[in-house]
Amino acid sequence: VDLRLSSLIGLSRALDLELTLVPRKAMPAVKSIVRSSEPHSSGISRDMRAAMQEVKRFQDAIASLSQVQKATTEVSQLQRYLHDFAHFILTATDLESIREANKAIQVFKNNEENMGPLRQALAQLRDLRNNLAHSFGATLELEPIKPAYSLDEDDNG
């Protein structure tokens, strides 16, 4: 789509966003400010923050694994599980499971011929994800769901 600047500005305003050009070198600072101003960030526990930091480290570790041809399926599954963890409330026990899986990935990186540690990490994250998905009240609701549209009482008329 080839948008005109006025259309892009109108679209951003309709979404209650502000269109701003930021120097690339300043992006980490801008992202940090945005994260700190999000309403849900203050309500996240210390365990949750530590777990999400570990998930980020894990994602960085497996980013280099995408080059391994015979492990592409496993790596893509790992990435999906790690992405899913953003929607769950993670505890200290969950953090430990993520750390153990991350250690297995480090072992695999040292010997990419042995698929055992990679499969072990995949199984650990799959089990953790399944346990979180099936546990009651484990989802992290960041903001209430808004309907795409609503009918006013006058429209039913």
Side-chain angles (χ1 to χ4, degrees):
V1 174
D2 189 15
L3 284 178
R4 292 181 12 186
L5 183 58
S6 60
S7 300
L8 185 59
I9 291 171
L11 181 62
S12 68
R13 288 185 179 156
L15 295 171
D16 197 28
L17 298 172
E18 186 62 39
L19 186 62
T20 306
L21 297 175
V22 178
R24 189 172 293 147
K25 289 183 178 182
M27 278 308 297
V30 171
K31 287 181 179 179
S32 176
I33 292 168
V34 169
R35 269 195 309 270
S36 69
S37 68
E38 291 175 346
H40 67 277
S41 64
S42 61
I44 295 177
S45 71
R46 184 178 303 148
D47 289 339
M48 180 69 177
R49 280 197 186 103
M52 294 314 293
Q53 288 173 347
E54 186 66 28
V55 166
K56 176 68 174 127
R57 280 192 290 273
F58 202 140
Q59 288 172 328
D60 293 342
I62 64 171
S64 63
L65 293 180
S66 62
Q67 309 303 325
V68 181
Q69 291 294 6
K70 65 181 184 178
T72 54
T73 304
E74 288 87 353
V75 169
S76 64
Q77 287 176 331
L78 282 171
Q79 289 170 333
R80 255 185 311 219
Y81 292 146
L82 290 170
H83 180 266
D84 288 347
F85 290 148
H87 303 288
F88 298 113
I89 298 172
L90 302 172
T91 64
T93 306
D94 302 331
L95 173 59
E96 190 56 37
S97 296
I98 294 169
R99 283 187 177 147
E100 288 175 21
N102 199 354
K103 288 177 188 174
I105 290 299
Q106 299 306 322
V107 170
F108 174 73
K109 286 176 79 170
N110 292 332
N111 180 11
E112 292 180 353
E113 296 300 317
N114 181 7
M115 296 287 286
L118 179 63
R119 290 190 179 116
Q120 174 189 354
L122 186 60
Q124 283 178 311
L125 291 185
R126 182 192 62 234
D127 292 345
L128 176 59
R129 189 239 172 252
N130 290 346
N131 287 339
L132 289 169
H134 295 291
S135 65
F136 180 74
T139 58
L140 181 62
E141 191 161 325
L142 300 178
E143 65 180 59
I145 298 172
K146 298 176 184 173
Y149 63 91
S150 63
L151 296 175
D152 294 332
E153 290 179 344
D154 297 334
D155 292 338
N156 293 332

